[in-house]
Amino acid sequence: MYHNVSEVRTNDDTLITVKLMLFFQLDSIEKMLACTNDPIADFVNAASADVIAFCSGLNYENFLTLTGELNKLETFSQLTTRAHMIGYTISKVVFRGFQAGEKLQAMHDEAIQERTRLRLLEETQEQQQRAEDMKLEGERRRAKMQAELEMEQHRLKTELSLTAQQASIKEQKLIQAAKNELEALQHEADLKQQKAAAAVNMEIKEHELALEQRRNEEQLRMMREMKQVGVDLTKVLVSQHEQPDKILKIDTSDSHRTDTQNKGLLGALQLNL
């Protein structure tokens, strides 16, 4: 059954018409015949009473937000009670909408348009704000990544520089060690060479001393022999330090010595006079 509850007033004195659809069934004819002469009128009056009671506690804005309550049987307590008293059961109530006055409806339509515009504007601003936030977040992440990249590059550059310095120091140490080793080897070779040269010189000097000693011994022996044969050794020694004008052979006048004994020694001796 369709039913419109007309001129329902909210607590802010707004008049509206509430449109309903009622679903019911007859449970007991005896109770209906005994309790009512017009069940439809009873439904209309009870439903109107429930709608008036519902709207009287709300203003127009609250009514707009709570229209869903008019689809619930709990809102229509008088209707369900009266239907039960006359042998009926209300199975469902459907809210079909409402209608206000032309001016109010125009104002309501304008308000709806304005709310829609504001909601769309708010959503647009929220989307723009989210887009701006996303842009700022992207820039922040990009700046962070850039800073991390620069730090990583600086760290790598520092590590490469440190590695190069360490390699240079190690190379210098190796070069210095090789140089020191070469100098040590050169010094050792020089020492060996000096020792060998000193040994050779010592050997030469020893040989020269030995030769000198043998020469002196031979000269001493010859002088002794010359003395034995009567040669004047002083003249011999003096003659060794003068420039000779001529070479003379010395012949002794000792009558007691024979020519045969003096021939071997004196025949070979030449003196510088």
Side-chain angles (χ1 to χ4, degrees), residues 17-260:
T17 298
V18 180
K19 300 177 182 181
L20 302 174
M21 181 184 294
L22 307 178
F23 295 84
F24 57 86
Q25 65 181 11
L26 178 61
D27 295 329
S28 174
I29 297 177
E30 293 82 3
K31 187 181 288 188
M32 180 194 69
L33 295 175
C35 296
T36 182
N37 293 324
D38 189 356
I40 300 301
D42 290 343
F43 292 157
V44 170
N45 292 331
S48 298
D50 286 330
V51 171
I52 292 171
F54 176 76
C55 293
S56 62
L58 302 174
N59 58 27
Y60 183 70
E61 295 293 332
N62 292 334
F63 171 77
L64 295 178
T65 59
L66 295 174
T67 54
E69 297 294 324
L70 295 175
N71 289 310
K72 298 178 181 179
L73 288 177
E74 291 81 0
T75 305
F76 299 92
S77 58
Q78 297 183 59
L79 174 61
T80 56
T81 300
R82 182 58 184 169
H84 180 70
M85 290 175 61
I86 63 177
Y88 283 85
T89 298
I90 303 297
S91 59
K92 183 166 56 175
V93 177
V94 177
F95 173 68
R96 297 186 296 114
F98 71 98
Q99 183 176 1
E102 294 181 359
K103 292 183 179 180
L104 181 61
Q105 188 64 39
M107 294 173 60
H108 178 60
D109 293 341
E110 291 178 359
I112 292 174
Q113 293 178 359
E114 183 64 19
R115 285 197 299 271
T116 303
R117 187 185 68 82
L118 293 175
R119 186 172 62 253
L120 293 175
L121 179 61
E122 182 180 0
E123 291 178 355
T124 302
Q125 291 178 350
E126 288 180 354
Q127 291 179 356
Q128 292 177 351
Q129 187 65 36
R130 285 196 297 270
E132 187 68 22
D133 291 343
M134 291 177 63
K135 181 179 179 181
L136 292 176
E137 181 65 19
E139 291 178 353
R140 185 185 66 81
R141 289 198 301 268
R142 191 178 300 107
K144 182 179 179 181
M145 292 175 62
Q146 183 68 24
E148 291 177 351
L149 180 60
E150 290 178 357
M151 290 178 62
E152 182 67 16
Q153 290 177 349
H154 179 69
R155 185 182 65 81
L156 291 175
K157 184 177 180 181
T158 303
E159 289 181 355
L160 290 174
S161 177
L162 181 60
T163 302
Q165 291 179 0
Q166 292 176 349
S168 178
I169 293 173
K170 186 176 181 180
E171 183 180 2
Q172 291 178 0
K173 287 183 178 179
L174 290 175
I175 293 174
Q176 187 63 35
K179 183 178 179 181
N180 293 337
E181 185 177 359
L182 181 61
E183 290 179 354
L185 293 174
Q186 184 66 34
H187 181 67
E188 184 177 357
D190 292 341
L191 289 178
K192 288 182 178 179
Q193 185 177 4
Q194 291 176 2
K195 288 181 179 179
V200 171
N201 293 332
M202 182 63 69
E203 186 177 354
I204 292 172
K205 288 181 179 181
E206 289 178 354
H207 183 66
E208 291 177 351
L209 289 175
L211 290 176
E212 184 69 21
Q213 185 176 1
R214 286 197 297 270
R215 187 165 50 248
N216 293 335
E217 290 177 354
E218 182 65 22
Q219 187 175 7
L220 182 59
R221 185 185 62 80
M222 291 175 62
M223 289 181 178
R224 285 176 180 173
E225 291 180 356
M226 286 188 293
K227 185 177 181 181
Q228 290 176 1
V229 297
V231 177
D232 190 353
L233 296 179
T234 303
K235 292 181 178 180
V236 173
L237 293 175
V238 171
S239 65
Q240 291 179 352
H241 299 281
E242 295 179 354
Q243 293 295 331
D245 294 330
K246 57 184 177 178
I247 298 174
L248 299 177
K249 290 184 180 181
I250 300 174
D251 189 10
T252 61
S253 59
D254 191 355
S255 58
H256 299 286
R257 295 185 180 272
T258 63
D259 294 335
T260 304

